[in-house]
Structure formats: C-alpha cells, structure tokens
Amino acid sequence: MMKAWINNQEVEFTEGESILQVAKKAGIFIPTLCAFLPLNHTPGTCRVCLVEIEDKSAPGGTRVVTSCTTPMLEGMRVMTRTRRVRRMQRLQMAWIFADHDQDCASCVRYGNCELQDVAMYVGLKHNTCNGRFTTPRPFDLTQNGLLRDVNKCIRCGRCVEVCRQVQGISALTIDDISTHCGVGIAHAKTWAESPYCVQCGQCTMVCPTGALGEHDQGETAIDWFE
C-alpha cells in the first residue's frame, strides 16, 4: 500500500487510483457532477471536483487539478477545502448554470437535484451568469414513462455510460456542439423513434439533473396547458 495525505489526514491507496477514489474511500467528500465511480465513469467534464495539491515547481508551491482524472501519488499532499478551490468551484458552477434551464418548480428532480446540492455545498449564493447562454433544445415526451429535457442537460455522460455498461444497449448519445449539445437518442430524434431504448429507466437514476426522468403514463402536467 502507498500513503499520501488529504486535508492532513493520512490515507492509503494502491497505484492507479485517482484522488477522488482515494478520498471517497477515506470518507472525504469532494463535490462532482460528472463522475460516477460505480461505473468507473470519470470524464472530467464538469470540472467541479477541484483540489489543490502541493507542487514546488508551480507558482506559490501549489496547483489546482481535477481529482477524478488525477492519480494519487506516493507522498502527495491534497487539500480539498482551500479558499482557492472554493472560489474556482463557485465560478465553475456559475458557468454550468449559465447554460441551464432553471425552471426548477416544474422539474422532475425538484428537491432531489445534485446540481442544486453541489451549488449549495460550494457556497454559490449569487450567480450573475444565470441563463446567459441558454438556447432552446429538445423536450421529448413521445414515450409513456420517460421524459427527456435537454434544456437541463449538463453533458456529464452518466446516462450514456449506464446504458452502455449496464444495459449493453447504447441507446443514448451526446448530440450536437456548443450550447445545443446535450443528451440525444442514438439513430433517432425522439424516444418514440428509438430502435434500441427499452425504457428500463436506468438513465433516469444516474442523471444528476432533470434532463432525464420518469413521468406517468396518464395525464401529465403538460396536458393542463394544452
């Protein structure tokens, strides 16, 4: 076993483990939105799991890295709660919200949203970036049981990974580029047209926002306004 320190707490690990993995085993919380360790999914796309590590070659003797993509090394010293880390995490969360539909009251994840939880954890109290880069993206209710609201997608890729690894289907993808980018249906434009999706609901369980969710087969809230 190898040894290092996180927040001055000695931790043991094996070669190849990331800082995030070691911290989780030690009971040290590092906020993240894209990483899903049960599937070894650590794309580093949300850039929220930032930590500060000692590096004598860097200005000030430290540098900030993403914990999900940075391997833990023997003797490494990691700090997860410094002012620099929190400031950068708040900034990153602000930019995520800048491209996020914040109609929270009607969201399927209202009250159980990882995006809100992480924002509160890092101390994001006033966000001047709200809705700055939002653009209309697909809202899909073409199949009873599942909904897809790409306006709330943060492109973490968890849904794509669980569909591929757990179900072995690969019915989901990340479509388009820029602000139009978000969760899409492989080889189709809607749920109803999908040749692969079996509506298992696994994707809704790992989605950190309301981009993917379940809805009743009967009347929906949409019906009241049509």
Side-chain angles (χ1 to χ4, degrees), residues 170-221:
S170 298
L172 297 174
T173 184
I174 300 295
D175 286 346
D176 225 316
I177 58 173
S178 188
T179 55
H180 292 276
C181 182
V183 57
I185 311 297
H187 305 292
K189 292 184 177 180
T190 66
W191 290 121
E193 299 171 354
S194 174
Y196 306 115
C197 179
V198 295
Q199 296 193 67
C200 67
Q202 293 286 339
C203 57
T204 69
M205 297 177 67
V206 298
C207 180
T209 68
L212 295 170
E214 299 177 354
H215 75 95
D216 294 336
Q217 292 187 358
E219 186 177 57
T220 69

Side-chain angles (χ1 to χ4, degrees), residues 103-121:
D103 183 13
C104 300
S106 64
C107 181
V108 294
R109 292 297 296 271
Y110 181 72
N112 184 32
C113 175
E114 288 185 46
L115 188 64
Q116 290 180 332
D117 291 344
V118 170
M120 292 178 64
Y121 182 84

Side-chain angles (χ1 to χ4, degrees), residues 112-195:
N112 184 32
C113 175
E114 288 185 46
L115 188 64
Q116 290 180 332
D117 291 344
V118 170
M120 292 178 64
Y121 182 84
V122 302
L124 183 65
K125 297 179 179 179
H126 178 65
N127 182 10
T128 58
C129 295
N130 283 354
R132 182 174 293 181
F133 302 115
T134 55
T135 186
R137 287 174 284 192
F139 183 84
D140 184 0
L141 275 176
T142 57
Q143 280 282 43
N144 289 329
L146 295 179
L147 68 84
R148 179 173 61 105
D149 187 354
V150 188
N151 300 287
K152 293 184 171 67
C153 180
I154 61 171
R155 282 85 76 180
C156 66
R158 289 188 190 180
C159 57
V160 176
E161 200 66 19
V162 75
C163 189
R164 181 180 69 85
Q165 285 196 41
V166 177
Q167 295 301 106
I169 295 177
S170 298
L172 297 174
T173 184
I174 300 295
D175 286 346
D176 225 316
I177 58 173
S178 188
T179 55
H180 292 276
C181 182
V183 57
I185 311 297
H187 305 292
K189 292 184 177 180
T190 66
W191 290 121
E193 299 171 354
S194 174

